[in-house]
Every structure is written in structure tokens, then in C-alpha cells.
Amino acid sequence: MATINQNYQKLPGSYLFSEIARRVAAYAQAHPDQRLIRLGIGDVTRPLAPAVTRAMHQAVDEMATAEGFHGYGPEQGYAFLREVIAREDYQARGADISPEEIFVSDGAKSDCGNIGDLFDRDNVVAVCDPVYPVYVDTNAMAGRAGDYDEGLGRWNRLVYMPCVAENGFSPAIPDRPVDLIYLCFPNNPTGAVATRAQLQAWVDHANRTGAVILYDSAYEAFITDPAIPHSIFEIEGARTCAIEFRSFSKTAGFTGTRCAYTVVPKDLVRGGASLNAMWNRRQCTKFNGAPYVVQRGAAAIYTPEGREQTRQTIAYYLNNARVIREGLAGAGLTVCGGENSPYIWARTPEGMGSWAFFDRLLQQANVVTTPGAGFGPSGEGYIRLTAFGGATDTAEAVERIRRIL
Ligand code: MLT
């Protein structure tokens, strides 16, 4: 008889965003007359840039000809995309990354989950708290998280690094040995950013201890402060200790189109093995490459008009972030994030629990948010709002929240 991966039995409930979707759907069904405004899951709403759709149309037309047809592409991504990424996202910012170190995929969420294939079960994993649940759940599935403590809302083998108001939502380097360190900046969910000095401290620590930093920079396009690094590879020494995940989802509205990339430097070696070679082996075995049409669309983001169009969309979302931040602060809530990030992290009023405030906002304001506790124990007492809605809806949501506070 087949036996199952028992680690799945240890997972609490459902994945955070599925659970929220379930609750919201039940509420909407029971109250069909109420118009919900969704500022919960970080899903974009603005259309793809015209430069992107034009490139995709051209690619579809190519696919309709015998000469232009593309079957299986390179598992690592087409050279035209890997080259432009290396040049524009890294070399142009002083980061020494070559096209062979870039692996194009269908999403940073899957890459963040799949990267665990390269590491054995005994690695000690450190995560920020609050944290994007994918890092935690995928390590739990792999048996690296131990057992879930319902009471504490945490896994007993994970090392949680609290990111709270007292430390400016910046994790402290753990006081015990850890092997894999997940960092995400601009941060999901708090919207905090990391300075060059803070990232340098992480890189130095990882190089000293042999840990590997798994750096998620899916939200780098929202950085407005020129002093804030966009990539871990802008930091000296990162080539020997870090892997970076990037996505076109939030940068260019690709949540439904699906394209991302992971950077694994050739200098990253553990146990005598090249992690670049291992990831290449993994991708060639388990992945057949992102679609040609989609990769053509992604490459168009780097053209002058693609850049300008995506810049305007990011500015649109950042304006929403400002509206939320200022509106909620004006209503008396303590808020952070939203300046270099599409996420606003707001303290619940009067010490209310995250889920209780989530329910109140859903039922009284008909606004969907994400309860902070869903991101980890230190998220309790907060909610997260996204700036990815339409501008009119965002302003109305803020107004509705202000009215009930
Ligand atoms: C979020 O809301 O945190 C993100 O949309 C989730 C994701 O990117 O997978």
C-alpha cells in the first residue's frame, strides 16, 4: 500500500489565502446585496502594458507559422530574456550576475517552494515573523518545520525572527545556528525595507556560518528610496551565500500571465556542490520552461516603452498605497509600509485580534483585508491591506473603514 507524506497531516487548516477566500465567498453568498471591496490577497488589477501585449500578440503570430513555431524551450528560459534580465536588473545596478545564473520560471511562489529540493531535511530554517506563508508551509511539507503548536501558532523546529514595531520590523540575526534564512524585502506583509547596512550584516553572517539566504525581492519595483538596494546581489559577498527570487507578477501585472526568475550564482557552493548546477538539474528534470509567448511578453517590459508603461502602473499602485496609509492614519490607526511597498500594515484598534478586526471590516465596511495573525504569531494585532485595487475602490474602502472606526 502506498504510504503518504505524513507532514501534510501536520499542516494546520488550509493555506492562508484559500481560507480567506473561503470566508469571503461564504459572506458574499449570504449577503448578495453588499458590494465587497477586496484589498486582501495581493493580486493586481491593472491591465498588462500595451508593449507587453503587443509582444505577446507577435509571438502568437510567430507560433502560427512553421518557421516561427516554438516547441519545448530551454528549461532555464530563453537567452533573449535571461540576457536582458542580467543586464538590466543586475549589471546596471552594479550586481555581478550573468545570464547563466538566471532561471526563468512560471512563478516565484513555486520557485520559493521548490528550492527546498536542494536542501536536506535536517537544515534549520529561519523565517521572519510575520512571514509569507509559502516559506513556512513548504518547509513543513518537507519535514523541516517539526510539529505545529496550535496554541502558539508556530512550528517547533522553525526559528522565528520577530519583526515588530519595537525593532522597526527588521529581523535580528538569530542567536542560535541556522542554515537557511528566508528574507523578503520590501517585506510581505509589513512593507518594511532593508538598508544596505542591514543586508550586509546578513550576508556577512551567512558567509561566516555557511548559511544560505533565500532572498525574495518580488516587490523591488515598489522601492522609491534610491538608497535602498533592490537585490541582495548589490551587497558585497552575496554571490557566495544567497539565492534570489524575482517575479513579474507585481512588477508588470503578470499574476495571471505567470513569469518569474530565480538567481543562483555559480559561486554558491555547499558541501562541495554547486547550487547553480543542482538547480539546473532540478529544473531540467521537473520543469519544461515558461511559455515562449509569455517570455516574449516579459522581455518587452525592458523596452523603453515597456519600462515607461510599467512605471506608470507602479505609480498608480503607490498612489493607492498613499491613500490607504494617510486615510487610515487620519482615522487614528497606527500604520506602516506603503512607501516602498504595495502593502500597508495597520495595527488593529483597541488591541482587537486580527481575525476579529478582519471580520468587523468584512461585515461592517464590506472591505476584505488579510488578518496579520495569518502570517505568524507576531502578526497578531495587525491587518494587511494591499494597494493593488482600483483607485476609486481603494478610496471608497478607506472611507468605509474610516466611517466604522
Ligand atoms: C500575497 O497576497 O501575499 C501574495 O499575493 C501572495 C503571492 O504572491 O503568492
Side-chain angles (χ1 to χ4, degrees), residues 157-236:
R157 264 203 86 218
L158 291 185
V159 174
Y160 288 81
M161 304 181 289
C163 300
V164 289
E166 291 70 32
N167 62 13
F169 301 99
S170 168
I173 289 176
D175 54 7
R176 69 197 109 152
V178 294
D179 306 307
L180 299 175
I181 303 166
Y182 286 83
L183 296 177
C184 171
F185 292 110
N187 186 258
N188 180 10
T190 67
V193 287
T195 64
R196 190 169 290 277
Q198 285 168 333
L199 291 181
Q200 189 68 63
W202 282 107
V203 165
D204 292 346
H205 174 77
N207 278 326
R208 207 166 41 242
T209 60
V212 172
I213 297 172
L214 301 170
Y215 194 77
D216 183 346
S217 59
Y219 301 97
E220 59 79 30
F222 293 83
I223 294 174
T224 53
D225 180 343
I228 298 295
H230 288 232
S231 163
I232 191 80
F233 297 115
E234 291 174 44
I235 306 302
E236 202 182 327

Side-chain angles (χ1 to χ4, degrees), residues 15 17 40-43 109 132 134 188 219 250 343 375 384:
Y15 179 61
F17 293 106
I41 189 163
D43 194 4
K109 179 179 181 176
Y132 179 42
V134 171
N188 180 10
Y219 301 97
K250 317 295 158 72
Y343 293 128
F375 296 101
R384 191 196 74 174

